[in-house]
Amino acid sequence: MTSVDTRDNPLLTDAPLPAFDRIEPSDVVPAIHAILQAAQTRLEQLETQLEPTWAGLLRPLAELDVLFERSWGAVSHLFGVKNSDALRSAYEEVLGDVVAFGLRVSQSEPIYAALKSLKQSAEWERLCEAQQRIVDAKLLTADLAGVGLADEQRQRFNAAEQRLSQLSTDFSNHVLDATKAFEILIEDAQQVDGFPPSLLQLCSQSYNQEHGQPEDGQTKHGDEHPQSTPETGPWRITLDLPCYGPFLQHCRDRRLREQVYRAFITRASDGDLNNSQIIGEILRLRQEKAELLGYETFAATSLAKKMAPDVDAVDTMFHSLRTASWDAAVQDMRDVQTLAEDTGETEPLQHWDLPFWSERLREQRFDYTDEQIRPYFALDRVLQGMFDLVKHLFAVTVTAADGDAPVWHDDVRFFHVHDDNGNHLSSFYLDPFSRPENKRGGAWMNDCLARRADQTDLQRPVAHLVCNGTPPVGDKPSLMTFREVETLFHEFGHGLQHLLTRVDYPDAAGINGVEWDAVELPSQFMENWCYHKPTLLGMTAHYETGEPLPEELFDKICAARTYRAGTQMLRQLQFGMTDMELHHRFDLAGDEDPFAVQRRISRDTSVLPALDADRSLCSFQHIFAGGYAAGYYSYKWAEVLSADAFSAFEEAGLDDPQAVQETGIRFRDTVLGLGGGRHPMQVFRDFRGRDPQPDALLRHNGLGQP
Ligand code: ZN
């Protein structure tokens, strides 16, 4: 390899902030190679002269991370917000090496041994809580990766890991292929009667992509087909969620709905794409891994690195949420059945009827459209409202600082955060608008720089807030839907934990080191303020008339929040309970197969139990091909925490500004300030004065109240 001049590479400067305006795709490979080489050399040095002390081991390890922070961190960020073919190929060229280096560090045997001796040394007691948590987390990661196993066991462990990785890829591919393999073509316009324009458009487009006459006159399947238009068809129905969901809500033909529903719940359950065997093998290998690591079940290994103390605690949460939701779900069922009967339906409703009739009931009760809401939510006004809120809650001031930092696009804003004494605490970028040509969809918060402090130096935290809102058009400002407002508050909540951290060590500062099932606490907590009338109305002003959001629309937004809350809750519980059951109590050699387990649980979690034919486990990617195995409960766990945290403000009195601020400061100094530096259960107790309780979540959802 020829040596490359990296002196002028903008990824390798020590400027305080990444040079986002100058980084080019061609900078990536030389910079990351240089960084990897330097890191490799330092790691080898470190491994040969290991000192089991904080200064001799953890500090140099943290310095390794610094190498990547401004370089690889910036590249990954641009990959999400300013992608291009050139950047993608550069990124892919180095990605494998970066990942491999990270694994090499976290699975290093000499480092593992040194961490263990540090724990047994006299210095251990002198380390602060955050430092001890950092060491413990590194040891746990290594333990769970099998680093501590003896040779023969380690071989079995690695073999299981490899096989599992293959199985989850197969699982995913089968779901993808099975989803693709299904279609229904509709030519009779009567059958799409009632479809909204967006669904007609989608089904027509899908038809043309698959069967239409392309420019070159060659149809994909070689046979002659007409070109579709949304008005005249033909229309193609698929099992892709953007089609499947609206289809079941709007298709008036009951038999067609049944056909599509049955296809959906049996995806990847027979023929070449059958995932049934794979499910069994995955469960067996996970159990084997857990036993090799000295745990009783796979669920126990999953919970070892989470906030929830054990399976019992998760079961207790499931039980109380289920009990409180059941009657409401029964009532939900009665409501739609009554509406269906009033409209002339004579048969009892089945699974494939529920989305359709719930949608009719929703329209009847509180229909509103995004287009009615948007004019009241101009981005600048919403931002100001959100910044006023955090000033009031947490005594911090957010000020625009555009121009203080190089940015990757003209729309990107930059802000500083100061405390009440005028101390600069942190800064953040906000990239608010969608740019389909080069920016990933969705919304996220990411750290740009972590807080790092010692006697001589302080690096202030810097965050990225990324949304995909509607850009301004002409002289119309950016106008947001309610969902976009909620999303902005959500991401800002994550951001606040990063921006207001008081932890000095990057591995535990902000969201770093926070257990996975507790990470959504600050984000969902902030969403609650969108349903607080004075806060929400205070940041609305019709962009033409200046009028605040009409109360009637606010009431509809609140009613929509709790619509069919019992049914929704039970549905999530069914996923979570099935996941936990399969990874904890399930006996592969027992009488029940995994599908029977799901059916048994559905009798407690669905007013209409799952059909015998239901094979939806075969497409449950969260737990068989994603990171949610024995972790699906986390969604509800975090909602319990965030609702309970918000209820501290309700108890203090939302109309009492001083009480709200006192509670806010306590939230800032515990949940936001301590980050990963203390166990999240302890942090929660510090804030709330007790363990989390599900009552507030149930109350906010209108559940479980007599
Ligand atoms: Zn989140």
Side-chain angles (χ1 to χ4, degrees), residues 68-310:
F68 292 90
E69 193 171 45
R70 278 184 178 70
S71 53
W72 181 243
V75 173
S76 318
H77 176 65
L78 290 174
F79 188 77
V81 296
K82 196 185 173 185
N83 211 327
S84 63
D85 289 346
L87 181 62
R88 182 171 320 155
S89 61
Y91 181 86
E92 279 165 7
E93 189 175 339
V94 288
L95 177 66
D97 290 343
V98 174
V99 172
F101 183 78
L103 284 177
R104 159 109 168 67
V105 177
S106 65
Q107 299 179 1
S108 154
E109 284 180 62
I111 292 176
Y112 178 77
L115 288 167
K116 281 203 138 173
S117 5
L118 171 59
K119 260 203 96 152
Q120 273 134 28
S121 71
E123 188 189 352
W124 179 251
E125 290 307 320
R126 293 196 301 273
L127 297 180
C128 73
E129 193 178 1
Q131 289 174 309
Q132 291 189 350
R133 290 240 318 153
I134 290 169
V135 173
D136 282 336
K138 287 187 190 297
L139 279 170
L140 183 60
T141 304
D143 279 331
L144 292 176
V147 175
L149 295 178
D151 277 351
E152 189 261 344
Q153 288 182 315
R154 188 144 163 201
Q155 269 169 23
R156 276 176 59 202
F157 183 89
N158 289 343
E161 280 282 62
Q162 254 175 22
R163 178 75 186 141
L164 276 169
S165 145
Q166 182 60 48
L167 289 170
S168 74
T169 308
D170 292 348
F171 188 95
S172 248
N173 288 339
H174 290 173
V175 177
L176 209 67
D177 292 347
T179 304
K180 265 197 220 153
F182 177 90
E183 65 170 11
I184 290 182
L185 302 182
I186 301 181
E187 293 186 5
D188 177 359
Q190 251 181 348
Q191 284 186 306
V192 299
D193 201 17
F195 281 25
S198 55
L199 182 58
L200 290 171
Q201 169 93 41
L202 187 78
C203 297
S204 161
Q205 204 179 323
S206 162
Y207 179 90
N208 284 338
Q209 268 162 14
E210 199 58 29
H211 302 288
Q213 196 91 40
E215 314 269 281
D216 62 8
Q218 297 277 308
T219 63
K220 195 163 171 186
H221 300 289
D223 42 5
E224 284 300 310
H225 279 285
Q227 194 76 5
S228 164
T229 71
E231 297 77 29
T232 60
W235 302 271
R236 179 168 181 259
I237 311 302
T238 70
L239 299 180
D240 277 327
L241 279 179
C243 177
Y244 174 76
F247 170 83
L248 279 193
Q249 286 178 332
H250 297 286
C251 174
R252 291 180 183 164
D253 184 331
R254 202 175 181 212
R255 274 185 324 186
L256 206 53
R257 289 203 303 263
E258 176 174 359
Q259 189 188 351
V260 173
Y261 174 83
R262 285 186 182 275
F264 190 79
I265 59 160
T266 52
R267 274 180 305 160
S269 70
D270 62 8
D272 291 347
L273 304 175
N274 193 345
N275 276 339
S276 311
Q277 297 292 325
I278 294 186
I279 290 175
E281 196 180 347
I282 288 178
L283 292 174
R284 185 179 62 71
L285 287 169
R286 283 179 179 163
Q287 179 63 23
E288 181 182 336
K289 253 179 67 178
E291 286 171 16
L292 283 167
L293 295 173
Y295 292 88
E296 220 171 298
T297 68
F298 180 78
T301 65
S302 163
L303 293 183
K305 46 184 188 211
K306 299 208 170 70
M307 170 181 177
D310 48 34

Side-chain angles (χ1 to χ4, degrees), residues 45-61:
Q45 268 169 7
L46 183 65
E47 281 180 330
T48 49
Q49 19 178 290
L50 275 171
E51 236 185 274
T53 62
W54 183 267
L57 176 60
L58 278 303
R59 194 168 296 155
L61 279 176

Side-chain angles (χ1 to χ4, degrees), residues 611-626:
L611 300 179
D612 285 348
D614 193 312
R615 291 290 177 275
S616 48
L617 276 183
C618 288
S619 53
F620 195 1
Q621 303 200 67
H622 275 81
I623 67 166
F624 294 116

Side-chain angles (χ1 to χ4, degrees), residues 475-548:
D475 51 3
K476 227 188 199 179
S478 162
L479 299 172
M480 307 170 80
T481 65
F482 183 73
R483 184 69 213 130
E484 287 170 359
V485 175
E486 265 188 311
T487 302
L488 178 67
F489 271 64
H490 180 103
E491 300 309 333
F492 195 50
H494 283 306
L496 286 167
Q497 189 167 35
H498 184 69
L499 298 167
L500 301 184
T501 190
R502 288 182 298 135
V503 178
D504 294 338
Y505 311 99
D507 280 332
I511 60 168
N512 294 334
V514 177
E515 276 74 356
W516 198 61
D517 47 352
V519 162
E520 297 297 334
L521 196 182
S523 52
Q524 295 178 358
F525 164 81
M526 282 302 286
E527 283 183 45
N528 280 284
W529 294 98
C530 297
Y531 296 91
H532 178 236
K533 202 165 174 177
T535 302
L536 190 80
L537 295 193
M539 61 192 188
T540 62
H542 193 286
Y543 80 101
E544 286 169 330
T545 66
E547 292 286 311

Side-chain angles (χ1 to χ4, degrees), residues 314-326 329 565-581 597-598 601-606 620 632-637 639-640 694 697-698 703:
V314 175
D315 284 343
T316 303
M317 174 189 74
F318 283 153
H319 178 73
S320 47
L321 296 179
R322 195 204 77 79
T323 313
S325 307
W326 183 259
T567 305
Q568 307 287 0
M569 175 74 82
L570 289 182
R571 188 178 148 75
Q572 288 299 313
L573 291 176
Q574 184 177 139
F575 293 140
M577 290 165 76
T578 304
D579 168 39
M580 212 34 118
E581 190 76 8
V597 170
Q598 191 197 11
I601 287 171
S602 84
R603 287 195 281 276
D604 285 336
T605 51
S606 180
F620 195 1
Y632 198 89
Y633 78 91
S634 299
Y635 286 112
K636 284 296 156 209
W637 186 268
E639 278 178 38
V640 166
L697 176 64
L698 293 168
L703 296 172

